[in-house]
Amino acid sequence: MNTIAESYVKLVLKVGLHDSDYVDAYYGPEEWKPKTDKSAFPLEQLHQDVDGILQKIDRIPDSAPTAPGQLRRVALRTQCIAIRARIEMLQGKNFSFDDESKALYDAVAPMHTREYFEAMLDNLGALLPGSGEAARNAMTPTALISKRLELFKRDFIIPKEKLDAVFSKAIKEGRRRTLGHIELPQNENFVVEYVTNKAWSGYNWYKGNSFSTIQMNTDFPIYIDRAIDLACHEGYPGHHVYNSLMEKHLVRGRGWIEFSVYPLFSPQSLIAEGSANFGIEVAFPGNEREQFEREVLFPIAGFDPSKAEQYYKIHALTTRLSYAGNEAARRYLNGTMKKEDAVQWLTTYALFTPERAEQRVRFFDKYRSYVINYNLGQDMVKAYVERRGGTSENSELRWKIFKELLSNPITPSALN
């Protein structure tokens, strides 16, 4: 397996020459990096190489399903299937949205109708302050809800001069809660940078040796709920912790060198994004998030703490609309929805501002079916943990199962 793993790492790095977004992290041997440009590694040859690796993996006898060697074998095989699909995409093959997500991320997101989201919007409309006649405002009822939400949230935009103080406090609390349950390397650390002109809102660049660079995009206003979201998702107990544990337990602990490289468009991303999103709930169970924000973050940002309860009731409902983004991506990438229609769908059913909707469509263009990893990934990770008893009522067990998931090569299919 070690020889196969080495071939896998070198293959991923070669594919990265054809796709600048492909290699999200690499901290393996420097000499394994390609020394020439992509012309020395044509896609046709890389396709043959991944097929060869898959044939070698398939010749290894099966063992007990939960045995470490079998988990490693299945994970590596699943990753290679994704590599093959990505190479085919680079060669010009067009997959349907669902076929692409299955090949790349080992999962397919559920489909939802327009009526599904309209029912949620009705519930949200009852909670939002303000009212108005759709006709008077020249808006449909659903578009009016989007506008009312935008007006409501204006009072909760973190002032730019207070961004760093709010994020720093959120990160510190996420770290404190995480270290109470997960032992991390003593040297783990990260730096935070504020950037612009990106298709994403936050990104973790893992550098190896338990160190990350976390970037926050400040192109658009950042609302108060994003402080905990991004602090946990990108930092503790999210991406930074996930990568640190994979390096600690798999690369250094077991010598499984294949985990020293992270191909972005692969099943590993569903686990990474899903656990990072679910990690918010793990770190702040029940009403603890609202309490912390009301007592700590709202005052730092200069907001009225008495409005926190209403804010998070509304936030809980808007979060459930995240699958509207999947539908926009599915229809847009399948060619059944034009760009302007996707923007309209996102503003109406995902309640994005027009500017954020435009940004999200740019994300679709760049990352395609990757969008399923956030909400479907979260739901799959949550169900996996809770089926094993890691419910909010059993916090210690929840943390234990969560840590085990982050420290082992579990595939998305294995979450079901």
Side-chain angles (χ1 to χ4, degrees):
M1 277 295 290
N2 288 341
T3 301
I4 296 173
E6 180 178 334
S7 298
Y8 163 85
V9 173
K10 292 177 177 177
L11 175 62
V12 170
L13 296 175
K14 291 171 185 175
V15 175
L17 296 177
H18 293 268
D19 180 355
S20 61
D21 295 313
Y22 194 64
V23 180
D24 193 70
Y26 177 64
Y27 49 90
E30 186 68 21
E31 61 269 22
W32 287 6
K33 290 183 178 180
K35 300 300 187 293
T36 57
D37 63 22
K38 66 182 181 181
S39 63
F41 309 103
L43 291 170
E44 294 79 5
Q45 181 59 55
L46 298 184
H47 197 292
Q48 293 176 24
D49 291 345
V50 72
D51 283 342
I53 293 174
L54 282 166
Q55 289 170 12
K56 291 178 182 178
I57 293 173
D58 288 343
R59 285 197 291 267
I60 299 174
D62 286 338
S63 54
T66 58
Q70 180 70 358
L71 292 176
R72 182 189 188 189
R73 174 177 172 269
V74 171
L76 191 54
R77 188 181 191 280
T78 308
Q79 290 288 112
C80 285
I81 290 172
I83 293 176
R84 184 170 60 191
R86 189 63 183 176
I87 291 172
E88 290 173 349
M89 292 171 68
L90 293 171
Q91 290 176 308
K93 181 174 179 178
N94 290 318
F95 289 88
S96 70
F97 182 85
D98 289 342
D99 286 346
E100 178 185 309
S101 73
K102 178 62 178 175
L104 294 181
Y105 310 115
D106 194 28
V108 176
M111 297 181 68
H112 296 293
T113 64
R114 189 186 305 266
E115 290 74 22
Y116 174 85
F117 300 114
E118 287 176 345
M120 289 188 186
L121 290 172
D122 287 342
N123 293 331
L124 180 59
L127 278 179
L128 282 169
S131 61
E133 296 294 332
R136 185 187 67 203
N137 290 277
M139 294 181 181
T140 64
T142 49
L144 185 58
I145 290 174
S146 180
K147 187 63 177 178
R148 287 168 61 198
L149 178 66
E150 181 186 351
L151 292 172
F152 169 72
K153 294 186 71 174
R154 280 182 184 174
D155 291 337
F156 300 94
I157 296 171
I158 305 173
K160 286 195 173 182
E161 67 273 14
K162 297 181 179 180
L163 268 178
D164 192 58
V166 172
F167 274 121
S168 295
K169 198 69 173 179
I171 290 168
K172 183 178 180 180
E173 182 65 12
R175 185 175 190 271
R176 184 188 72 81
R177 289 168 178 255
T178 299
L179 291 180
H181 302 275
I182 296 178
E183 183 180 353
L184 295 175
Q186 288 189 348
N187 62 316
E188 65 82 20
N189 198 7
F190 60 74
V191 296
V192 178
E193 298 176 350
Y194 298 95
V195 299
T196 58
N197 196 30
K198 303 295 181 182
W200 36 258
S201 57
Y203 211 106
N204 179 299
W205 304 98
Y206 190 69
K207 307 297 185 179
N209 200 28
S210 300
F211 182 80
S212 298
T213 295
I214 295 177
Q215 293 183 330
M216 307 294 191
N217 186 5
T218 59
D219 278 343
F220 300 110
I222 298 178
Y223 300 103
I224 188 65
D225 59 276
R226 296 299 286 155
I228 290 294
D229 281 355
L230 291 172
C232 290
H233 183 100
E234 307 296 345
Y236 307 99
H239 291 323
H240 176 67
V241 172
Y242 173 66
N243 286 304
S244 295
L245 290 178
M246 296 286 275
E247 181 179 10
K248 175 183 176 181
H249 293 290
L250 300 185
V251 179
R252 299 184 184 276
R254 291 178 173 173
W256 292 358
I257 194 66
E258 64 266 34
F259 292 99
S260 67
V261 69
Y262 176 8
L264 184 65
F265 305 107
S266 72
Q268 190 174 342
S269 282
L270 185 135
I271 303 295
E273 301 293 1
S275 62
N277 270 355
F278 180 56
I280 302 167
E281 182 180 335
V282 174
F284 290 88
N287 66 350
E288 290 185 22
R289 172 177 178 168
E290 180 190 325
Q291 180 181 350
F292 176 75
E293 299 214 12
R294 181 179 66 249
E295 295 177 358
V296 180
L297 297 189
F298 269 56
I300 295 175
F303 301 151
D304 181 355
S306 68
K307 295 182 178 180
E309 181 178 2
Q310 181 189 28
Y311 185 88
Y312 278 99
K313 283 182 179 178
I314 291 170
H315 178 261
L317 279 177
T318 57
T319 299
R320 291 174 58 198
L321 289 165
S322 68
Y323 275 92
N326 290 15
E327 289 304 323
R330 176 184 278 118
R331 300 175 189 207
Y332 173 65
L333 295 173
N334 282 346
T336 62
M337 182 180 279
K338 296 180 180 179
K339 178 180 178 179
E340 55 269 25
D341 297 324
V343 169
Q344 183 61 50
W345 176 281
L346 288 168
T347 57
T348 301
Y349 297 111
L351 301 181
F352 286 18
T353 63
E355 295 78 15
R356 284 187 180 273
E358 292 273 359
Q359 181 198 43
R360 196 59 174 171
V361 175
R362 292 199 301 274
F363 187 96
F364 299 162
D365 287 329
K366 188 175 181 65
Y367 298 105
R368 298 183 57 81
S369 62
Y370 193 93
V371 295
I372 74 161
N373 294 325
Y374 299 103
N375 44 28
L376 178 64
Q378 178 179 349
D379 289 346
M380 291 175 68
V381 168
K382 177 182 174 73
Y384 174 87
V385 172
E386 292 186 345
R387 278 199 307 272
R388 285 155 179 77
T391 62
S392 58
E393 293 78 22
N394 196 340
S395 178
E396 287 299 325
L397 182 58
R398 172 182 269 192
W399 274 105
K400 179 176 182 293
I401 298 169
F402 185 75
K403 176 188 173 183
E404 289 173 353
L405 174 63
L406 300 189
S407 305
N408 288 282
I410 306 297
T411 62
S413 289
L415 294 178
N416 295 320

